[in-house]
Amino acid sequence: MSKSHRGHTPMLPIVVLISGSGSNLQAIIDAIRDDGLPVEIRAVISNRPDAYGLQRARAANIPAVVVDHTAFDNRSDYEAALQQRIDQYTPAMVVLAGYMRILGAAFVEHYQGRMLNIHPSLLPDFPGLNTHQRAIDAAVAAHGASVHLVTNELDGGPVIIQASVPLLVEDDATTLAKRVQTQEHHIYPLALRWFAEQRLSVKAGEVLFDQQPLNQPVHFNSDTDAT
């Protein structure tokens, strides 16, 4: 996907890692096509050959690559092969979009400051799995999603932007997940836009937004895109 951006912002080259459906991948593809998101997806790489997101990539004429983790004897060999494939595409950013494997320290260090993840909770609340049911069990007033930089702490890197939804009395994990996912599809392309426009940057381990330290996450609402 290499069409020119409508404005003057240089295209941000990315590689997207997936394990499953790839709905956030689709949101990024749609934002490039429909909203002029200045991003070039150079490849989509999955650790699962049956991931539906690979079909999404092929439909958008994006290279769809499989590095199957089950073909390797250990995680370090798998991640070395994965890193080699990613680096063939020389991305400025590695984007985890439903990539369901914990990454090792050497891999994370290699992409320090240029690897993003989206997590279905308002971090630091509910890192890890089953976030929607855990939010319901905890009877929180609001739940949501967070885009954050990846560090060696699970779901613990600096959070860039969050979007929240109220917890409704009638919610179950499925209905809550669906509403959270709608917000994910807004905030992930927006975070990438800010990186492409150099409004977001990482210098000496510190996240800067409009050249100022980002001391707390941006909270998404309908006006956030204009800020």
Side-chain angles (χ1 to χ4, degrees):
M1 180 170 294
S2 58
K3 71 176 184 179
S4 297
H5 176 50
R6 290 193 289 266
H8 302 292
T9 302
M11 302 289 274
L12 178 75
I14 68 172
V15 166
V16 181
L17 302 188
I18 63 168
S19 294
S21 169
S23 70
N24 274 300
L25 165 66
Q26 189 66 56
I28 296 167
I29 291 170
D30 292 348
I32 294 169
R33 183 191 63 219
D34 300 334
D35 302 325
L37 178 67
V39 164
E40 177 190 3
I41 306 176
R42 292 190 170 172
V44 171
I45 303 178
S46 175
N47 66 302
R48 294 173 53 95
D50 60 345
Y52 181 70
L54 294 169
Q55 297 184 42
R56 299 181 189 272
R58 295 183 189 108
N61 297 314
I62 300 166
V65 179
V66 176
V67 183
D68 188 344
H69 68 277
T70 65
F72 296 85
D73 292 333
N74 55 65
R75 185 172 72 177
S76 61
D77 287 350
Y78 161 69
E79 290 184 353
L82 177 61
Q83 179 178 310
Q84 182 180 38
R85 291 306 301 269
I86 292 170
D87 290 350
Q88 288 176 356
Y89 297 99
T90 60
M93 190 73 64
V94 177
V95 175
L96 309 183
Y99 180 75
M100 299 302 292
R101 287 183 62 82
I102 295 174
L103 295 166
F107 187 92
V108 171
E109 180 65 28
H110 181 70
Y111 297 107
Q112 195 76 50
R114 55 194 183 104
M115 185 158 56
L116 283 178
N117 184 44
I118 190 158
H119 182 75
S121 80
L122 297 174
L123 293 171
D125 294 344
F126 311 119
L129 300 175
N130 304 317
T131 60
H132 308 303
Q133 188 60 52
R134 289 160 62 197
I136 291 170
D137 293 344
V140 295
H143 187 46
S146 306
V147 176
H148 67 95
L149 286 162
V150 177
T151 65
N152 280 315
E153 180 185 354
L154 178 65
D155 299 324
V159 179
I160 292 164
I161 183 170
Q162 295 181 318
S164 62
V165 298
L167 203 67
L168 305 179
V169 173
E170 63 270 23
D171 268 329
D172 59 24
T174 300
T175 60
L176 184 56
K178 192 169 185 178
R179 289 190 293 115
V180 169
Q181 191 174 70
T182 298
Q183 297 303 310
E184 292 177 19
H185 296 168
H186 290 300
I187 64 175
Y188 221 175
L190 183 54
L192 289 171
R193 180 181 295 278
W194 288 341
F195 272 108
E197 294 173 348
Q198 298 184 19
R199 296 186 65 189
L200 268 173
S201 60
V202 182
K203 296 181 181 177
E206 184 175 45
V207 181
L208 304 179
F209 186 62
D210 290 339
Q211 307 303 316
Q212 298 298 317
L214 184 64
N215 296 319
Q216 60 184 14
V218 177
H219 188 81
F220 174 80
N221 57 50
S222 59
D223 299 321
T224 302
D225 202 4
T227 62

